[in-house]
Amino acid sequence: MSAAELNGTLVASKLLTDTAQRVELLKRSSGKIPCLATVLVGDDPASHTYVRMKANRCADVGIRSLRVELDAATTTDQLVGELLKLSHSDDVDGILLQHPVPHHIDERAAFEAIAPHKDVDGVTANSFAASALGFAGYESCTPSGIMRLLDAYDIGIAGKHAVIVGRSPILGLPVGMLMLRRNATVTYCHSRTVDLADQVGRADIVVAAVGQPELIRGHWIKQGAIVVDAGYNPGNVGDVEYSAARERAQWITPVPGGVGPMTIAVLLAQTADAAGAPAGEAIRLASDQSAR
Ligand code: NAP
């Protein structure tokens, strides 16, 4: 068997088009242009690239971006102060604090300074609780992107055994909660898990969210499983040994072009939501042969 690819670039581009249409409708009906504030601390080149990419995508869909860049010596209190200012600003609809922040900063305290109604990246405790319990709120972007990607291909979640490798608050933990809410049976694996290969081998759905190149070996994958690789490592390498995993899986995300593009597309869709844009369309590719 050679798995079919879950094409995140294609699904994300449909979501971006849908968002651009919603933003245009909002502008025409109220004159309002949504604004996303991005906050970057320090000079990590990868983070600068991510923030630039997000600003470019904002421009593509008609969202204004406000870039706030703070130097690496910024304290937790100073960062919290900036985020509170943006949280109270009438000109800003959504706020993104680029992760990771320098080690001396209390990232959790900074995230919690983002007002829940502007937390379009879904990083606050409030957003996490809302998405775990199924209340209204913004979902963490990468987990939400993963669910939307599976939905676009009509891949059912209910009753499947999902093994999530990684439990970070922005990725592994919330994606497992979203799958649980959709009636998967969920196992979390992490750095203390004993016999990761055995756990992964039991999965109908594997979500790799670690940040270690090809940690998940292809021969661990159960025949016919769905493999979602959220990992991104230097040299465009994921957390899954792609070529061998593809021989066993039914569906697999490529790296790049799988989960990554979905994350930004969800961020912008949620920024449009925060600005009051009309509801969007569900994106389905199941009948679209070009998606396979
Ligand atoms: P993180 O905060 O560093 O968390 C990594 C997780 O992996 C932790 O839960 C850790 O366990 C677990 N882990 C570490 N070594 C392990 C091992 N040997 N076996 C099993 N689990 C292990 O990372 P993150 O922010 O969630 O990001 C994870 C990956 O996703 C990175 O490659 C990142 O670049 C990528 N990412 C991609 C996107 C996107 O848009 N595509 C967005 C966000 C992140 P402990 O909890 O026990 O330490």
Side-chain angles (χ1 to χ4, degrees), residues 251-276:
W251 292 97
I252 191 165
T253 57
V255 177
V259 174
M262 293 301 300
T263 300
I264 296 186
V266 171
L267 175 73
L268 302 193
Q270 296 198 143
T271 303
D273 294 340

Side-chain angles (χ1 to χ4, degrees), residues 33-224:
I33 299 176
C35 175
L36 173 69
T38 58
V39 180
L40 175 60
V41 188
D43 30 48
D44 174 52
S47 293
H48 274 270
T49 304
Y50 291 140
V51 167
R52 201 170 43 246
M53 279 164 55
K54 286 165 187 166
N56 290 343
R57 292 291 86 73
C58 278
D60 291 345
V61 302
I63 290 176
R64 196 161 69 80
S65 55
L66 172 69
R67 282 172 73 169
V68 178
E69 296 191 2
L70 303 171
D71 72 56
T74 301
T75 64
T76 299
D77 283 353
Q78 287 166 332
L79 178 57
V80 164
E82 282 294 335
L83 291 164
L84 288 174
K85 247 195 289 176
L86 295 169
S87 288
H88 290 116
S89 165
D90 290 338
D91 298 332
V92 171
D93 299 294
I95 302 170
L96 167 109
L97 171 61
Q98 183 62 42
H99 162 88
V101 294
H103 291 306
H104 67 275
I105 289 179
D106 178 347
E107 185 173 74
R108 180 47 46 198
F111 280 154
E112 296 309 323
I114 297 171
H117 65 288
K118 297 189 181 185
D119 180 23
V120 292
D121 201 22
V123 294
T124 61
N126 193 295
S127 297
F128 177 80
S131 85
L133 295 170
F135 297 158
Y138 297 110
E139 291 178 347
S140 184
C141 290
T142 306
S144 179
I146 289 169
M147 302 306 283
R148 290 172 193 236
L149 187 55
L150 295 173
D151 287 345
Y153 285 87
D154 276 343
I155 292 173
I157 310 284
K160 293 209 166 75
H161 180 201
V163 172
I164 317 293
V165 190
R167 56 175 169 180
S168 75
I170 60 150
L171 179 45
L173 197 54
V175 79
M177 299 305 302
L178 292 178
M179 294 217 174
L180 183 62
R181 262 185 48 217
R182 299 274 291 273
N183 298 314
T185 301
V186 177
T187 299
Y188 285 100
C189 299
H190 44 77
S191 63
R192 309 284 183 92
T193 295
V194 175
D195 203 349
L196 183 62
D198 180 61
Q199 297 293 341
V200 169
R202 295 167 191 268
D204 303 311
I205 302 175
V206 180
V207 179
V210 177
Q212 288 186 26
E214 300 189 342
L215 172 77
I216 293 164
R217 310 308 296 169
H219 67 271
W220 296 357
I221 303 295
K222 184 163 91 175
Q223 289 287 349

